[in-house]
Amino acid sequence: MTLIMKTIDGSNLKIEDVCAVAQENEPVRLCGESGFLETLRKSREFLMNYIAKGFPTYGVTTGFGDSCANQISPEKAAALQRSLVAYHGIGVGGAFSREEGRAIVLCRLNSNVKGGHSAIRLELAERMQELLNKDVIPVIPQLGSVGASGDLTPLSYLAAVIMGERDVYYKGKVVPAAEAFAAEGIEPLPLAAKEGLALMNGTSVMTAVASLAWQKARRLADISDFLTAVTSEIVRGKEVPFRAKVSAIKNHPGQSESAAYIFSIVKDSKRVYKYEEFLEAMGSLDGKNYEKRGQKIQDRYSIRCAPQINGVFRDTLHVARGWIEQELNSANDNPLVDIESGSLFNTGNFYGGHICAACDYLRIALANVSDLSDKQAEVIIDGKFNGLTENLIPYTADDDAQAGLRFAFKAAQITISAIRAEIQHYCGAMSIHSSPTEALNQDKVSMGTISARKLSEQIDLAYLQLAVHLLAACQAVDLVGAEEFSPKTRQVHGEVRALSAFVTDDRPLDKDAAAVAGWLKTTELFAPSAG
């Protein structure tokens, strides 16, 4: 079997690559093309010659940030990098997961080899490659970055590990880096001039976390559309809002994708009315001036406008993907070397504004999807709106011993609303919370890392909410009779029933909800081409 290996060249990394390396341990290799390797060599040579001329070089022969007026001799350049790594070892709070750590190392490697602009030695790039392939991954605290100058404090943990210091994830445990290095035959690599800054002064933590979060968020778009479809089936909705022509008139790609997904399900359902058939069943007034009809000609907004709501989320995912992948393949430390013009640039490429905006926008769009789910769950669970039982209890005769003792999904609706409120709390924009720091040198910062972290946390909440919504939907399917529903709905219903049985007499559903949420994160059943 041919081993799949991702080639790292600084320019072609996609979100799927980050996820494969992070979650599936896909190995990596540096580009072996002679031009690529020669660029790395020439860039490093240019930097060392530049330093030797005695020019002040930010963070190489000067202090950092507001201390950049203090110049040192080139002989102190390597020691300066060690100081940078040491004093940034102030990350606090819980650690990023091993998978997130792998993504962070990959993103930093890809950025640092782009065009030779970071001017690192080939040995340093090879060491990051080795950490990934031997699965020796830095333990990185989550708190301590304002997103400019990049992710200095969290990335200091990568720099320290390369030198054989601090802790790593290794063989299922957290151990000192030196212990894992000894076990794997890895020699600590002292950082040379600029290399600490090259590793730390960039956006790789926020970009890695955003990449993994994007993948998780993308699945939610399909799950949300499925829940719209099954909600429409349960309440005997109309299919016309999901016709392709309707969304084509509106003109937004995300809405068209959402409507097409929903329509692909409801078109095969015995429960959803085809509009023309509904009108025929309703009939005309036959000359009457007024008649109170038993059915409404159109559905409530939480069903009829679902493609317009989830379509915003889908379109935001499209925009965010572009920004995240552009950042993945950017040179984002400072200073940067350009061997083509023979220049060294003092820049602000470490600023994480695009990642922060992508995550801010996604959190807002996802909060609307969560709110949509909350309203649809109300329609499903409240018997006043769907012709089913109160709170989705089993049909129970008045003289049944359990009559009056069954409440089924009453508390589930409260849980959904509670999670929805918390998800909405997460949607405040982080980009507007910049505040000056570091002696007013970092006087405008991105907050991108916090935004990415909050997106990841919010997504996990969304999976829990949609899992409870799905449990309620499956209970309704059983009350109606699964044979009335579309093939897709029956397929999903069968998978859920393998995890959670129909609620006859009341029981705790906490473990059921957790199991379904875990299944939603991994199943391919909701992919548009599945089933």
Side-chain angles (χ1 to χ4, degrees):
M1 183 175 69
T2 302
L3 180 66
I4 298 174
M5 186 171 287
K6 179 61 188 173
T7 299
I8 306 302
D9 61 9
S11 300
N12 295 291
L13 206 60
K14 295 191 176 299
I15 287 174
E16 289 80 4
D17 300 323
V18 176
C19 295
V21 171
Q23 298 166 344
E24 300 168 22
N25 297 340
E26 182 176 308
V28 302
R29 63 181 175 193
L30 289 167
C31 178
E33 295 180 6
S34 59
F36 171 83
L37 298 173
E38 181 66 8
T39 296
L40 292 183
R41 186 193 66 77
K42 286 184 176 180
S43 295
R44 185 66 188 175
E45 182 180 36
F46 173 89
L47 176 66
M48 299 310 293
N49 289 338
Y50 188 95
I51 296 169
K53 293 176 182 177
F55 297 126
T57 306
Y58 173 75
V60 182
T61 58
T62 75
F64 305 105
D66 188 60
S67 303
C68 66
N70 304 322
Q71 187 172 356
I72 61 172
S73 68
E75 289 74 24
K76 290 186 173 183
L80 182 69
Q81 301 306 296
R82 187 169 187 83
S83 294
L84 174 70
V85 176
Y87 81 78
H88 270 289
I90 188 62
V92 295
F96 289 109
S97 68
R98 168 188 160 275
E99 290 76 15
E100 289 169 325
R102 288 184 60 83
I104 289 165
V105 176
L106 174 66
C107 291
R108 199 72 214 125
L109 171 59
N110 195 62
S111 175
N112 279 161
V113 301
K114 182 178 178 66
H117 299 302
S118 296
I120 65 170
R121 293 171 295 162
L122 177 60
E123 294 96 311
L124 178 54
E126 290 173 336
R127 181 52 45 84
M128 284 188 272
Q129 171 188 276
E130 187 175 19
L131 292 180
L132 287 170
N133 290 342
K134 293 185 175 179
D135 202 24
V136 178
I137 304 302
V139 176
I140 301 174
Q142 294 187 19
L143 305 183
S145 175
V146 293
S149 298
D151 290 312
L152 289 166
T153 289
L155 284 172
S156 78
Y157 288 78
L158 168 58
V161 163
I162 286 170
M163 295 189 293
E165 301 171 5
R166 302 187 196 171
D167 292 333
V168 296
Y169 294 108
Y170 180 65
K171 294 189 180 301
K173 298 179 180 179
V174 172
V175 302
E179 179 181 323
F181 276 25
E184 290 292 335
I186 302 173
E187 289 292 329
L189 180 66
L191 299 179
K194 189 189 179 291
E195 289 182 331
L197 199 59
L199 287 167
M200 294 165 53
N201 201 3
T203 61
S204 295
V205 173
M206 67 182 83
T207 307
V209 174
S211 296
L212 298 180
W214 187 95
Q215 184 197 49
K216 291 194 298 182
R218 174 63 188 82
R219 302 172 68 88
L220 290 170
D222 294 335
I223 296 167
S224 175
D225 281 333
F226 172 80
L227 286 168
T228 293
V230 73
T231 301
S232 181
E233 290 187 275
I234 291 165
V235 302
R236 303 227 62 189
K238 324 297 183 300
E239 48 76 49
V240 71
F242 314 123
R243 293 183 182 181
K245 182 66 174 181
V246 173
S247 293
I249 295 169
K250 179 69 171 178
N251 219 26
H252 294 293
Q255 177 183 329
S256 293
E257 291 174 22
S258 181
Y261 188 106
I262 299 166
F263 188 80
S264 72
I265 297 171
V266 301
K267 69 180 177 62
D268 296 321
S269 174
K270 298 176 183 178
R271 299 276 302 174
V272 176
Y273 286 107
K274 293 181 172 58
Y275 192 60
E276 293 78 10
E277 293 177 0
F278 177 77
L279 290 178
E280 185 177 344
M282 289 282 286
S284 69
L285 282 177
D286 291 328
K288 299 175 185 177
N289 289 324
Y290 172 80
E291 181 180 346
K292 179 72 172 178
R293 296 298 186 110
Q295 290 180 295
K296 296 179 179 180
I297 197 170
Q298 60 184 18
D299 299 320
R300 64 188 71 245
Y301 283 15
S302 60
I303 296 173
R304 182 167 27 122
C305 298
Q308 287 82 355
I309 297 165
N310 199 30
V312 174
F313 182 46
R314 287 183 178 275
D315 280 333
T316 305
L317 284 164
H318 293 321
V319 172
R321 180 189 183 106
W323 288 356
I324 292 169
E325 291 187 341
Q326 287 159 2
E327 192 74 30
L328 280 173
N329 296 291
S330 70
N332 51 62
D333 67 288
N334 176 54
L336 294 170
V337 164
D338 181 42
I339 58 175
E340 290 183 3
S341 63
S343 303
L344 188 144
F345 302 137
N346 293 314
T347 80
N349 276 8
F350 49 70
Y351 195 90
H354 280 85
I355 294 297
C356 191
C359 295
D360 279 359
Y361 298 160
L362 280 170
R363 283 186 286 111
I364 293 168
L366 183 54
N368 273 296
V369 171
S370 167
D371 192 47
L372 177 67
S373 167
D374 182 45
K375 304 309 178 285
Q376 291 177 349
E378 160 68 19
V379 172
I380 291 174
I381 296 170
D382 193 331
K384 294 189 293 291
F385 300 119
N386 54 37
L388 300 177
T389 59
E390 184 180 273
N391 300 314
L392 299 175
I393 66 171
Y395 289 105
T396 306
D398 290 347
D399 59 354
D400 191 299
Q402 291 298 101
L405 299 180
R406 288 171 169 164
F407 298 91
F409 281 79
K410 179 185 283 288
Q413 187 180 353
I414 299 171
T415 295
I416 288 171
S417 293
I419 298 173
R420 181 266 307 155
E422 193 162 348
I423 285 172
Q424 289 176 331
H425 180 72
Y426 270 86
C427 76
M430 280 307 308
S431 56
I432 62 173
H433 289 288
S434 171
S435 59
T437 186
E438 203 265 300
L440 275 180
N441 172 62
Q442 297 179 10
D443 56 353
K444 175 63 176 166
V445 293
S446 78
M447 297 295 186
T449 311
I450 300 174
S451 187
R453 284 179 36 240
K454 295 305 176 188
L455 173 62
S456 184
E457 293 168 10
Q458 185 200 44
I459 289 168
D460 286 337
L461 288 173
Y463 273 101
L464 289 170
Q465 180 186 338
L466 297 190
V468 179
H469 184 171
L470 182 56
L471 284 172
C474 288
Q475 182 85 355
V477 169
D478 282 322
L479 291 175
V480 172
E483 67 280 356
E484 292 290 309
F485 288 80
S486 67
K488 184 77 165 186
T489 297
R490 296 198 302 271
Q491 190 177 9
V492 172
H493 173 266
E495 293 282 339
V496 172
R497 281 289 167 259
L499 301 169
S500 173
F502 177 78
V503 178
T504 303
D505 294 325
D506 294 342
R507 69 173 194 271
L509 292 173
D510 49 358
K511 292 182 174 60
D512 301 58
V516 172
W519 172 71
L520 289 175
K521 288 181 178 181
T522 59
T523 181
E524 295 301 325
L525 187 53
F526 296 95
S529 59

mmCIF file of all heavy atoms in Angstrom, residues 224 227 368-378 416 465-466 469:
data_model
loop_
_atom_site.group_PDB
_atom_site.id
_atom_site.type_symbol
_atom_site.label_atom_id
_atom_site.label_comp_id
_atom_site.label_asym_id
_atom_site.label_seq_id
_atom_site.Cartn_x
_atom_site.Cartn_y
_atom_site.Cartn_z
ATOM 1 N N SER A 224 -28.115 20.731 9.769
ATOM 2 C CA SER A 224 -29.194 21.705 9.940
ATOM 3 C C SER A 224 -30.226 21.581 8.831
ATOM 4 O O SER A 224 -31.444 21.622 9.084
ATOM 5 C CB SER A 224 -28.617 23.121 9.968
ATOM 6 O OG SER A 224 -29.650 24.083 10.027
ATOM 7 N N LEU A 227 -32.408 18.616 9.404
ATOM 8 C CA LEU A 227 -33.393 18.871 10.448
ATOM 9 C C LEU A 227 -34.539 19.736 9.933
ATOM 10 O O LEU A 227 -35.695 19.549 10.340
ATOM 11 C CB LEU A 227 -32.716 19.526 11.653
ATOM 12 C CG LEU A 227 -31.852 18.564 12.486
ATOM 13 C CD1 LEU A 227 -30.994 19.338 13.466
ATOM 14 C CD2 LEU A 227 -32.719 17.545 13.212
ATOM 15 N N ASN A 368 -27.323 31.951 14.384
ATOM 16 C CA ASN A 368 -28.623 31.979 13.703
ATOM 17 C C ASN A 368 -29.105 30.573 13.353
ATOM 18 O O ASN A 368 -30.310 30.289 13.413
ATOM 19 C CB ASN A 368 -28.538 32.846 12.451
ATOM 20 C CG ASN A 368 -28.803 34.304 12.749
ATOM 21 O OD1 ASN A 368 -29.906 34.661 13.155
ATOM 22 N ND2 ASN A 368 -27.804 35.139 12.577
ATOM 23 N N VAL A 369 -28.196 29.689 12.993
ATOM 24 C CA VAL A 369 -28.571 28.297 12.740
ATOM 25 C C VAL A 369 -29.073 27.654 14.034
ATOM 26 O O VAL A 369 -30.064 26.912 14.042
ATOM 27 C CB VAL A 369 -27.374 27.517 12.161
ATOM 28 C CG1 VAL A 369 -27.667 26.024 12.096
ATOM 29 C CG2 VAL A 369 -27.031 28.047 10.761
ATOM 30 N N SER A 370 -28.396 27.944 15.131
ATOM 31 C CA SER A 370 -28.834 27.442 16.431
ATOM 32 C C SER A 370 -30.224 27.960 16.780
ATOM 33 O O SER A 370 -31.081 27.210 17.278
ATOM 34 C CB SER A 370 -27.828 27.870 17.503
ATOM 35 O OG SER A 370 -28.341 27.685 18.802
ATOM 36 N N ASP A 371 -30.459 29.221 16.533
ATOM 37 C CA ASP A 371 -31.773 29.800 16.818
ATOM 38 C C ASP A 371 -32.848 29.162 15.941
ATOM 39 O O ASP A 371 -33.975 28.922 16.387
ATOM 40 C CB ASP A 371 -31.725 31.308 16.591
ATOM 41 C CG ASP A 371 -32.950 32.015 17.147
ATOM 42 O OD1 ASP A 371 -33.339 31.748 18.286
ATOM 43 O OD2 ASP A 371 -33.519 32.847 16.411
ATOM 44 N N LEU A 372 -32.503 28.882 14.701
ATOM 45 C CA LEU A 372 -33.430 28.188 13.806
ATOM 46 C C LEU A 372 -33.803 26.824 14.380
ATOM 47 O O LEU A 372 -34.979 26.442 14.412
ATOM 48 C CB LEU A 372 -32.792 28.029 12.424
ATOM 49 C CG LEU A 372 -33.593 27.255 11.378
ATOM 50 C CD1 LEU A 372 -34.851 28.020 10.984
ATOM 51 C CD2 LEU A 372 -32.727 26.973 10.139
ATOM 52 N N SER A 373 -32.815 26.078 14.843
ATOM 53 C CA SER A 373 -33.060 24.774 15.440
ATOM 54 C C SER A 373 -33.979 24.890 16.651
ATOM 55 O O SER A 373 -34.892 24.076 16.841
ATOM 56 C CB SER A 373 -31.734 24.133 15.853
ATOM 57 O OG SER A 373 -31.923 23.016 16.686
ATOM 58 N N ASP A 374 -33.748 25.891 17.472
ATOM 59 C CA ASP A 374 -34.576 26.092 18.654
ATOM 60 C C ASP A 374 -36.045 26.276 18.280
ATOM 61 O O ASP A 374 -36.945 25.699 18.898
ATOM 62 C CB ASP A 374 -34.052 27.321 19.404
ATOM 63 C CG ASP A 374 -34.807 27.593 20.693
ATOM 64 O OD1 ASP A 374 -35.057 26.647 21.458
ATOM 65 O OD2 ASP A 374 -35.148 28.766 20.940
ATOM 66 N N LYS A 375 -36.293 27.053 17.234
ATOM 67 C CA LYS A 375 -37.675 27.307 16.813
ATOM 68 C C LYS A 375 -38.297 26.067 16.168
ATOM 69 O O LYS A 375 -39.473 25.768 16.374
ATOM 70 C CB LYS A 375 -37.712 28.493 15.850
ATOM 71 C CG LYS A 375 -37.094 29.768 16.422
ATOM 72 C CD LYS A 375 -37.662 30.115 17.797
ATOM 73 C CE LYS A 375 -37.014 31.362 18.395
ATOM 74 N NZ LYS A 375 -35.660 31.118 18.909
ATOM 75 N N GLN A 376 -37.510 25.337 15.401
ATOM 76 C CA GLN A 376 -38.031 24.113 14.785
ATOM 77 C C GLN A 376 -38.337 23.059 15.848
ATOM 78 O O GLN A 376 -39.337 22.335 15.754
ATOM 79 C CB GLN A 376 -37.026 23.565 13.769
ATOM 80 C CG GLN A 376 -36.879 24.428 12.525
ATOM 81 C CD GLN A 376 -35.819 23.898 11.578
ATOM 82 O OE1 GLN A 376 -35.049 23.006 11.922
ATOM 83 N NE2 GLN A 376 -35.760 24.449 10.373
ATOM 84 N N ALA A 377 -37.484 22.971 16.864
ATOM 85 C CA ALA A 377 -37.736 22.008 17.937
ATOM 86 C C ALA A 377 -39.029 22.336 18.676
ATOM 87 O O ALA A 377 -39.772 21.432 19.077
ATOM 88 C CB ALA A 377 -36.558 21.989 18.907
ATOM 89 N N GLU A 378 -39.313 23.606 18.855
ATOM 90 C CA GLU A 378 -40.589 24.015 19.461
ATOM 91 C C GLU A 378 -41.763 23.506 18.640
ATOM 92 O O GLU A 378 -42.748 22.978 19.180
ATOM 93 C CB GLU A 378 -40.627 25.537 19.566
ATOM 94 C CG GLU A 378 -41.995 26.172 19.705
ATOM 95 C CD GLU A 378 -42.676 25.869 21.042
ATOM 96 O OE1 GLU A 378 -41.971 25.482 21.990
ATOM 97 O OE2 GLU A 378 -43.905 26.023 21.126
ATOM 98 N N ILE A 416 -32.516 22.516 24.825
ATOM 99 C CA ILE A 416 -32.230 23.126 23.521
ATOM 100 C C ILE A 416 -32.189 24.639 23.643
ATOM 101 O O ILE A 416 -31.267 25.299 23.123
ATOM 102 C CB ILE A 416 -33.277 22.682 22.479
ATOM 103 C CG1 ILE A 416 -33.065 21.214 22.109
ATOM 104 C CG2 ILE A 416 -33.211 23.552 21.226
ATOM 105 C CD1 ILE A 416 -34.175 20.625 21.262
ATOM 106 N N GLN A 465 -26.763 20.645 20.809
ATOM 107 C CA GLN A 465 -28.119 21.134 20.569
ATOM 108 C C GLN A 465 -28.797 20.377 19.437
ATOM 109 O O GLN A 465 -29.948 19.932 19.564
ATOM 110 C CB GLN A 465 -28.109 22.627 20.242
ATOM 111 C CG GLN A 465 -29.515 23.166 19.978
ATOM 112 C CD GLN A 465 -29.532 24.602 19.507
ATOM 113 O OE1 GLN A 465 -28.588 25.349 19.731
ATOM 114 N NE2 GLN A 465 -30.595 25.005 18.847
ATOM 115 N N LEU A 466 -28.108 20.221 18.330
ATOM 116 C CA LEU A 466 -28.716 19.539 17.189
ATOM 117 C C LEU A 466 -28.952 18.055 17.478
ATOM 118 O O LEU A 466 -29.865 17.441 16.919
ATOM 119 C CB LEU A 466 -27.853 19.717 15.947
ATOM 120 C CG LEU A 466 -27.676 21.167 15.458
ATOM 121 C CD1 LEU A 466 -27.012 21.200 14.098
ATOM 122 C CD2 LEU A 466 -28.985 21.927 15.423
ATOM 123 N N HIS A 469 -32.240 18.019 19.282
ATOM 124 C CA HIS A 469 -33.253 18.285 18.255
ATOM 125 C C HIS A 469 -33.525 17.011 17.441
ATOM 126 O O HIS A 469 -34.689 16.653 17.179
ATOM 127 C CB HIS A 469 -32.748 19.417 17.356
ATOM 128 C CG HIS A 469 -33.709 19.867 16.312
ATOM 129 N ND1 HIS A 469 -33.478 20.996 15.538
ATOM 130 C CD2 HIS A 469 -34.889 19.376 15.859
ATOM 131 C CE1 HIS A 469 -34.481 21.156 14.693
ATOM 132 N NE2 HIS A 469 -35.344 20.177 14.868
#
